[in-house]
Amino acid sequence: MIAPDGKVRPHYAPLMAKLGTMPGAELARRFASSRQYLSEAGVFHQVYGEGSEQSHDWPLGHPALLIDRGEWAELSAGLVQRAGFLEALLADLYGERRVVASGVLPGILVGRNPEFLRPLADQARLGAPLLSFIAVDLGRGPDGRWWVLGDRTQAPSGAGFALENRVATSKAFPDVSRALNVERLAGFFRRFREMLFALGGPERARIGLLTPGPHNETYYEHAYLARYLGLLLLEGGDLVVHGDRAEVRTVDGFQPIRVLWRRLDADFCDPLELFGGSRIGTPGLARAVRSGALTLVNALGSGILETPALLAFQKPLAQALIGEDLKLPTIATWWCGQEKIRRFVEENAARLQLGPAFPGAPHFPVMGETATRPGAGDQTVPASTREGVTLVGQEIAALSTTPVWGQKGLEPRPVTLRAFLMRDEEGWHVMPGGFARVADSRDARVISMQRGGGSIDVWISSETAAKPVTLLGPKGDRFSRRLPGALPARAADNLFWLGRYAERGEVAARLLRLHAGRAGEGWSEGELETRIATILEDYGVEIDGGHPERGLLALARQAADTASRIRERFSPDAWRTLKDIVALILDAIAEKDGDVVGLTSAILTHHSGFAGLAHENMYRFTGWRFMQCGRALERGQATAATVSALLSEEPPAGALEALLTFTDSSVTYRRRYSVDLSEETVVDLAVLDPLNPRSLAFQVNTLAEVTSALPGVHLGETPDLLFRRLARLKVRLQTADAVEVDSAFLDRIVGDLALISDLLTQRYLLSSPRAAAEWSGGPE
């Protein structure tokens, strides 16, 4: 921001002038609007500790990193050239390997490289591009020159977070970004999406984003980009390879897929041909790639370009592959596999950092003032005389700083920039912005989101006002409303169990409030309380131990963890509601106030909010139906089991009132019946009344209605066992009389609902969606 003469650089001047006129309260309001957006959008990142992981709020700082348009044009030209160089290098390594044969690159850096995938050693000979989306990490020195710190070609992260940074920063400074004519990012992503669909062929086949799953540190970004670009979010278990063709397991059978944007490391993609210990890959995926039936962005094996040792051979490689020097210099790197270079690194260890030569290897301590030098007795750093092939020495880069608002106003923070490029038929294109990371102090060695670093937006100004660009078609274009594609079986399974777990937590809270409420009213421990406590034990809630909140916490976490796997399928408000339930219970456990009635009432209020959000905001398609099936099955089983437990044999005193309270039907009962409490009338309302949304009959009717709209159900065809069981159960409840409803009647219904759940799982949610036709499910 500051020029050598001490003045503010011209491209920063408008921003600094604007910030200088804002009072502190105004700045605080603007920063708060940005944080509010990130909170409402649910933006987070995973931070890994010792054997655990935690979701942290997204650490966005202000203001944005501004790059002069002239400087950006020069930087973009260097990035495009570098992308072409990397593309040529990868094609050679997986093709003729001329750079190895000619001695430009030591063969050991390929032969011993864990990212060189031998099952795909000749994939470049097919002629298709192996790279389509890359990132380049850049640092700027105090002299203003940009340096390449590393290449990201395996599964580059950060583009989705760059988008969210832009939206959040625009919430805080919309007037400033307009005044500076900040270039938009949507055009880059629209071009990238068009490229993906072009790879799918003229029929524009479905495109997927392959993710490692919700435990990955950038899973939020995967879900966000899939939603933003209109892609299927897929895990390895969602795919199967039949012959040479990759297919998606959906609730409507196996559906072919032609293109995957890969965010999963290559060696985990196929346990048959790559890493056999992978539990998140798809057997046969490499075979589908070799056959040409499946295209991956980027290709399997592209992670070899992230090899740190390659930086030591950039100049001869560039001359051999593209016939010119690279415009962007790389950070000075020395590979210790050569005797002369190894001695140089040992002699200069005080001013270098020692690291792994190959990608994926464990990182060694950073060499510098606080680190141990090679040979000084620290066995965590391999002796370079023995392990030189696996080590590189790198210059410790002195990074320039950018202003970031801190506790004392603007503070200089070291910054790195991740620039993104995509390739289509016209060539390589640079995103007009990027993902900037800043250190939490002036120590440039902690620019890491895992170690407390933050992020800021990146602004590239234009001479003219930026044109509105979206991923929607041009205004006035005709469009056809289409239903979403087939739902992956994994997503359906998670939605089904989300419905069950959410309802399970609500049932346990209702029972615990009922138990605690009676104790608070002065009732002594009796038969009714004992029966309620026994039911709660089935939900993992222990009354006798004195800490029933812990059982509620386990149930709440089940729902929240399941929801975390499918966050892209319902609103952030619904997700936050489930997280708030966990926070409520944790606070109650920490405070030890013992107000169980107050806690359970608050939990039930949040559950009502979640149910309302899911009911009002979720699109009424297949996913919503599976979640409703889960809720109806769980509520139906809970209602039948609770009525059976409370009214079996000789009902204890207060059982009828307790049952009405549990089913939230006390007010309805007083309006519905003009008689005093009787077992028949209470059972009629809680079990048989089809208009009571808490009754057992209502749950079965809901199941029948919702399942009739599931895939593969056609009027006039012979129904399979699932629908026959459900139809018989519905008729049984419609034709029953209250006097017939005893424990045997209710226990049989609990068993029927359990079988219906199994049949639903077998038909739609297991590995073979069509397997229900061959599975009898037991005698009818």
Side-chain angles (χ1 to χ4, degrees):
M1 182 184 78
I2 304 298
D5 60 4
K7 296 181 180 179
V8 176
R9 296 183 186 274
H11 64 286
Y12 261 102
L15 175 61
M16 292 299 104
K18 187 70 174 178
L19 291 178
T21 61
M22 290 184 187
E26 172 68 8
L27 279 172
R29 183 191 66 78
R30 288 174 178 254
F31 295 160
S33 68
S34 176
R35 289 193 301 271
Q36 180 181 2
Y37 166 76
L38 293 171
S39 175
E40 291 177 352
V43 186
F44 74 100
H45 70 115
Q46 302 276 28
V47 175
Y48 299 98
E50 296 182 0
S52 65
E53 61 185 61
Q54 293 181 337
S55 297
H56 284 209
D57 293 338
W58 186 246
L60 177 65
H62 299 284
L65 170 66
L66 269 65
I67 301 178
D68 177 72
R69 67 175 67 95
E71 181 183 12
W72 180 253
E74 183 179 346
L75 181 58
S76 295
L79 288 168
V80 169
Q81 183 205 39
R82 183 166 190 82
F85 160 68
L86 292 175
E87 185 178 15
L89 177 57
L90 187 64
D92 184 72
L93 294 178
Y94 281 99
E96 298 180 5
R97 289 179 278 281
R98 289 183 293 108
V99 294
V100 174
S102 62
V104 175
L105 184 69
I108 196 171
L109 291 180
V110 177
R112 286 187 57 176
N113 200 312
E115 289 299 330
F116 181 71
L117 305 183
R118 285 169 175 78
L120 296 149
D122 296 319
Q123 61 179 320
R125 297 180 188 274
L126 297 175
L130 302 183
L131 289 180
S132 296
F133 188 92
I134 69 169
V136 180
D137 286 337
L138 301 164
R140 185 167 53 185
D143 60 356
R145 289 190 71 191
W146 288 96
W147 296 77
V148 173
L149 303 178
D151 302 299
R152 296 293 174 261
T153 53
Q154 173 79 268
S157 64
F161 290 122
L163 269 172
E164 289 286 41
N165 284 351
R166 173 59 53 86
V167 176
T169 304
S170 298
K171 297 285 185 183
F173 300 102
D175 48 347
V176 181
S177 62
R178 284 195 300 268
L180 291 175
N181 297 328
V182 175
E183 294 196 28
R184 298 175 181 264
L185 305 181
F188 174 84
F189 285 96
R190 185 169 68 181
R191 186 187 289 269
F192 178 60
R193 186 179 68 175
E194 288 300 316
M195 180 274 294
L196 289 176
F197 280 101
L199 290 176
E203 68 275 14
R204 297 180 70 86
R206 60 180 52 84
I207 311 296
L209 188 152
L210 182 60
T211 174
H215 296 295
N216 185 265
E217 63 181 296
T218 58
Y219 178 72
Y220 170 83
E221 180 187 38
H222 303 167
Y224 174 75
L225 286 171
R227 184 171 59 246
Y228 181 71
L229 297 173
L231 312 179
L232 284 175
L233 184 64
L234 302 172
E235 296 180 26
D238 292 326
L239 300 169
V240 64
V241 177
H242 290 141
D244 291 335
R245 188 172 71 167
E247 296 179 325
V248 182
R249 309 175 194 265
T250 78
V251 295
D252 200 17
F254 295 106
Q255 304 290 334
I257 190 162
R258 295 280 305 277
V259 181
L260 288 173
W261 184 13
R262 179 174 64 85
R263 298 299 298 269
L264 174 64
D265 286 355
D267 53 347
F268 285 92
C269 284
D270 187 343
L272 282 183
E273 298 194 51
L274 303 176
F275 173 51
S278 173
R279 296 295 181 268
I280 56 177
T282 305
L285 198 72
R287 183 174 73 248
V289 170
R290 278 197 303 270
S291 72
L294 178 67
T295 301
L296 297 185
V297 176
N298 290 322
L300 295 173
S302 56
I304 194 173
L305 296 179
E306 297 183 7
T307 302
L310 291 180
L311 297 178
F313 301 92
Q314 297 287 286
K315 186 170 183 177
L317 285 172
Q319 284 292 338
L321 293 168
I322 62 175
E324 58 186 9
D325 290 335
L326 295 173
K327 298 175 182 178
L328 288 174
T330 59
I331 185 171
T333 303
W334 294 267
W335 177 54
C336 298
Q338 299 162 312
E339 181 65 27
K340 181 178 179 181
I341 299 299
R342 185 164 59 246
R343 287 199 303 270
F344 172 82
V345 171
E346 289 176 346
E347 294 167 359
N348 293 273
R351 63 182 184 86
L352 301 177
Q353 61 181 353
L354 195 65
F358 297 109
H363 286 269
F364 305 126
V366 173
M367 294 294 101
E369 295 177 0
T370 61
T372 304
R373 299 182 187 182
D378 186 348
Q379 296 305 310
T380 62
V381 181
S384 56
T385 56
R386 290 184 286 107
E387 298 291 342
V389 169
T390 65
L391 299 176
V392 294
Q394 284 190 327
E395 182 182 15
I396 299 176
L399 298 175
S400 66
T401 61
T402 190
V404 177
W405 203 269
Q407 295 181 349
K408 299 179 181 179
L410 288 176
E411 302 173 357
R413 302 279 183 86
V415 61
T416 62
L417 170 65
R418 178 167 291 183
F420 299 94
L421 299 93
M422 58 78 51
R423 181 193 191 283
D424 61 12
E425 293 181 351
E426 298 178 7
W428 286 95
H429 307 274
V430 184
M431 177 197 292
F435 177 61
R437 288 176 290 184
V438 293
D440 62 351
S441 68
R442 298 198 68 171
D443 184 354
R445 289 173 292 179
V446 292
I447 302 185
S448 166
M449 308 298 286
Q450 292 291 317
R451 298 176 60 188
S455 177
I456 57 175
D457 193 12
V458 180
W459 286 0
I460 313 298
S461 62
S462 173
E463 294 182 353
T464 58
K467 297 180 180 179
V469 181
T470 72
L471 265 66
L472 301 175
K475 187 175 181 180
D477 275 10
R478 295 182 61 84
F479 71 95
S480 298
R481 184 191 305 127
R482 297 180 179 178
L483 293 175
L487 181 70
R490 173 193 53 85
D493 187 70
N494 282 320
L495 285 163
F496 174 76
W497 281 101
L498 173 58
R500 297 206 69 156
Y501 287 145
E503 187 63 29
R504 197 169 291 179
E506 181 177 341
V507 167
R510 287 188 179 279
L511 288 167
L512 183 57
R513 185 174 67 171
L514 178 59
H515 187 281
R518 288 181 62 82
E521 293 171 2
W523 292 92
S524 59
E525 184 78 16
E527 177 64 20
L528 176 60
E529 287 71 28
T530 300
R531 293 191 184 191
I532 295 173
T534 300
I535 302 171
L536 281 167
E537 288 178 5
D538 293 336
Y539 288 91
V541 180
E542 299 287 343
I543 298 294
D544 295 338
H547 299 288
E549 301 93 341
R550 298 189 184 280
L552 293 180
L553 178 61
L555 294 170
R557 280 177 167 164
Q558 276 184 322
D561 290 346
T562 304
S564 71
R565 302 186 183 106
I566 43 172
R567 289 182 58 180
E568 77 280 7
R569 297 193 176 272
F570 57 93
S571 75
D573 289 331
W575 156 255
R576 280 197 304 275
T577 301
L578 293 175
K579 295 291 287 184
D580 287 346
I581 294 173
V582 174
L584 274 173
I585 302 173
L586 286 172
D587 290 344
I589 292 174
E591 293 173 5
K592 302 179 181 179
D593 60 3
D595 183 11
V596 176
V597 173
L599 172 62
T600 50
S601 294
I603 290 173
L604 291 173
T605 298
H606 279 73
H607 272 295
S608 296
F610 172 76
L613 288 166
H615 188 270
E616 295 295 330
N617 294 350
M618 280 190 72
Y619 190 72
R620 292 297 195 274
F621 197 54
T622 310
W624 176 84
R625 295 185 184 113
F626 277 103
M627 192 166 77
Q628 293 304 107
C629 284
R631 290 188 70 95
L633 278 166
E634 192 67 37
R635 184 176 293 183
Q637 285 185 300
T639 300
T642 302
V643 174
S644 177
L646 296 186
L647 301 185
S648 64
E649 300 176 353
E650 188 65 29
L656 298 179
E657 293 91 339
L659 188 54
L660 288 176
T661 300
F662 169 72
T663 57
D664 202 12
S665 301
S666 298
V667 174
T668 303
Y669 184 89
R670 289 194 293 269
R671 297 185 61 186
R672 186 83 166 79
Y673 301 94
S674 59
V675 295
D676 293 334
L677 286 178
S678 71
E679 186 172 337
E680 288 76 15
T681 52
V682 171
V683 166
D684 182 67
L685 181 60
V687 177
L688 302 176
D689 192 331
L691 300 182
N692 180 8
R694 291 281 170 181
S695 76
L696 178 55
F698 190 94
Q699 310 317 314
V700 173
N701 291 342
T702 298
L703 272 172
E705 178 184 352
V706 173
T707 55
S708 67
L710 290 178
V713 180
H714 304 292
L715 185 65
E717 292 184 353
T718 301
D720 66 10
L721 184 55
L722 166 64
F723 298 99
R724 294 200 300 273
R725 283 285 189 180
L726 191 50
R728 291 181 182 185
L729 179 56
K730 180 178 178 181
V731 171
R732 187 181 309 142
L733 288 168
Q734 287 176 339
T735 58
D737 189 86
V739 295
E740 301 175 45
V741 180
D742 56 12
S743 292
F745 180 94
L746 292 166
D747 292 345
R748 182 179 178 185
I749 288 179
V750 171
D752 285 343
L753 290 172
L755 178 58
I756 288 169
S757 177
D758 290 342
L759 290 167
L760 186 72
T761 299
Q762 183 69 19
R763 179 182 173 97
Y764 292 107
L765 308 180
L766 295 183
S767 60
S768 175
R770 302 188 183 95
E774 290 81 33
W775 187 63
S776 66
E780 290 194 63

